[in-house]
Amino acid sequence: MADELDALLEALELKDERRTGWVLRGIDAPESVAAHTWGVATLCLYYADRADGVDRDRAVSMALLHDLGEARIGDIATRAEDDNQRVDGDEKVARERDAIVDLLEPFDGDDEFRSLWEAYEARETPTARFVKDMDLIDNCLQALKYERGERYDETERNEAFDEYENLDEFFATAAPRLRTPVGERLFEAIKTRYEREIDRECQL
């Protein structure tokens, strides 16, 4: 039981770990990784039945686990441009895998939870591809929410704004990575609302 409590307490770090992408842009009171995880799981709950070959329960479970490793390694933001990443993608996955193994060990005697995380990372099943799309869609929804709430100062420029205006980079990051029709439909609907807010076409 002591090992379980230690793992739970470390997992709770997700409630305080701020999402790096929003921090870089000076968003006022940015969401935590735990809040993002809830958003992805909720999207999976609502939209799984609209995606071909997706198991809703497996999708929600996968969503709940997908960023658990960040409780230990922190949130490493994905940038739109591949040559602008702060940490190599393979290195990021390796760090997360090591953290996941430790954090799940007290609860995962048959490796069921770890296999869910591995499936998510591999993106070889309809469910895993759907969950990744919902991960990207949650980012776009959050960008729309922050834009509508005017949660950042456009005059406070920093390197995060070098390539993209407003919060366009979150849409530019998502667009080429979407792999399901439901993800693409949600993306277009959210982008249209966002473009209405910024009164111009989103830069992708």
Side-chain angles (χ1 to χ4, degrees):
M1 184 61 73
D3 289 346
E4 291 181 7
L5 290 179
D6 288 341
L8 288 170
L9 286 168
E10 187 169 2
L12 288 183
E13 293 296 326
L14 292 180
K15 292 186 175 184
D16 293 320
E17 179 69 28
R18 300 292 133 189
R19 296 271 285 164
T20 305
W22 308 125
V23 173
L24 286 172
R25 285 161 184 79
I27 296 292
D28 180 40
E31 68 170 342
S32 67
V33 174
H36 164 68
T37 296
W38 174 86
V40 179
T42 300
L43 287 167
C44 289
L45 182 69
Y46 291 163
Y47 290 100
D49 64 347
R50 303 188 193 183
D52 293 336
V54 172
D55 180 313
R56 174 187 277 136
D57 290 343
R58 188 171 173 83
V60 172
S61 296
M62 199 177 283
L64 289 171
L65 292 171
H66 86 284
D67 277 342
L68 178 61
E70 294 182 8
R72 179 170 295 177
I73 71 168
D75 180 36
I76 301 170
T78 300
R79 306 300 298 273
E81 308 298 333
D82 286 338
D83 59 359
N84 201 21
Q85 308 303 332
R86 295 179 177 223
V87 175
D88 175 76
D90 291 339
E91 181 183 347
K92 177 183 176 183
V93 171
R95 288 186 197 176
E96 286 193 50
R97 180 174 285 109
D98 288 343
I100 284 287
V101 170
D102 285 348
L103 290 166
L104 291 179
E105 194 275 331
F107 308 100
D108 202 18
D110 60 1
D111 291 333
E112 176 188 0
F113 300 145
R114 180 181 174 183
S115 70
L116 280 171
W117 184 85
E118 293 285 3
Y120 171 77
E121 287 297 321
R123 314 275 201 272
E124 292 177 350
T125 66
T127 297
R129 289 190 288 271
F130 166 76
V131 175
K132 181 57 184 177
D133 273 18
M134 295 305 100
D135 173 57
L136 297 167
I137 291 302
D138 182 70
N139 290 341
C140 294
L141 269 175
Q142 196 66 46
L144 173 60
K145 179 175 174 56
Y146 287 150
E147 194 66 51
R148 295 179 78 176
E150 299 180 345
R151 296 269 291 273
Y152 67 99
D153 184 351
E154 291 182 58
T155 65
E156 292 289 326
R157 307 299 289 185
N158 59 51
E159 66 176 19
F161 287 96
D162 286 347
E163 299 294 330
Y164 296 91
E165 293 185 59
N166 298 85
L167 300 177
D168 289 15
E169 186 174 4
F170 293 90
F171 292 87
T173 300
R177 292 173 168 84
L178 294 166
R179 297 177 65 185
T180 67
V182 66
E184 291 169 354
R185 288 194 297 270
L186 283 166
F187 176 83
E188 288 301 324
I190 297 164
K191 183 169 77 73
T192 297
R193 290 279 189 97
Y194 174 77
E195 289 174 335
R196 191 181 306 161
E197 293 295 327
I198 61 177
D199 195 27
R200 63 172 174 78
E201 187 172 326
C202 179
Q203 178 188 352
L204 299 179

